[in-house]
Each structure stands twice: as C-alpha cells, then as structure tokens.
Amino acid sequence: MFHIALTQTANASGVSTGALPSLAALDQHSWVAFNSGRGVMMLGAAGTLLASKAHPLLGWIALDTGIALFIPFADFVGLIVSGLWIITTSVQLSRRGPADSLAGRPELA
C-alpha cells in the first residue's frame, strides 16, 4: 500500500514537498509493524497447537518463529519460516476436509 501511495504521489502534480519524504519513510520502516503482527499471530497459533496437542511439531515451530519475529536480524528468517509454516498448515487443513475437522465434536456441527 505504501508503494502504491508513493508512486501515485510522485506522479501527481501539486503535491507538497514534504509528502514524498514522509511516504518514503513509512515505506522503508513499515516492516516493523508487520513483523510484530505476524509474531503475535504465530505465538497465538503456537499456544493453541501446543495446548490442544493437535500438532506438537507445528506448535513448536510456530513458537520458535513467533519469538524470532521479535528479534532484530533473526526476523528475516522468521518471515521466511512463517510463510512456509502458513502454507504447510493450510495444505494440511485443506486435505483434512470439513468432516474430519468437526468429527467427534457435535457441539460444533
């Protein structure tokens, strides 16, 4: 979104002189907010998976990744691992199907 705003502002006429540097600063430093948000998501997923003992391996990977996303210079590896974790977990959940996910839990059916 910041890339699009920066490009459209650069091509627009009548824009104030402070708009482009401000958007460029937001564009360069917005990763901090996105990394911490993904870190919170991974820590929540880790807590859920480890507490339910559904997929302990995925839970421990999510916990390690969630912690790494808050550590400078380790967050790059955390971003890559969390992306792969999201893809792997999505594939596993989609292969289970809706009937398997609600089996044995009539209160959710």
Side-chain angles (χ1 to χ4, degrees):
M1 296 298 258
F2 291 123
H3 290 303
I4 294 170
L6 187 61
T7 305
Q8 287 181 345
T9 305
N11 293 332
S13 61
V15 177
S16 68
T17 58
L20 284 177
S22 300
L23 283 174
L26 284 172
D27 187 33
Q28 292 171 359
H29 301 293
S30 63
W31 61 271
V32 175
F34 297 124
N35 279 4
S36 60
R38 187 175 279 189
V40 169
M41 181 196 75
M42 294 300 288
L43 291 174
T48 301
L49 288 171
L50 292 174
S52 68
K53 297 180 178 150
H55 294 284
L57 179 63
L58 286 175
W60 286 110
I61 293 171
L63 180 67
D64 293 340
T65 304
I67 293 169
L69 284 167
F70 288 101
I71 300 172
F73 303 110
D75 59 350
F76 180 73
V77 176
L79 281 172
I80 294 171
V81 172
S82 67
L84 294 173
W85 184 89
I86 290 169
I87 292 169
T88 303
T89 307
S90 299
V91 169
Q92 285 186 354
L93 288 175
S94 68
R95 294 179 91 193
R96 281 178 32 181
D100 294 338
S101 63
L102 297 178
R105 302 191 66 186
E107 70 274 6
L108 295 177

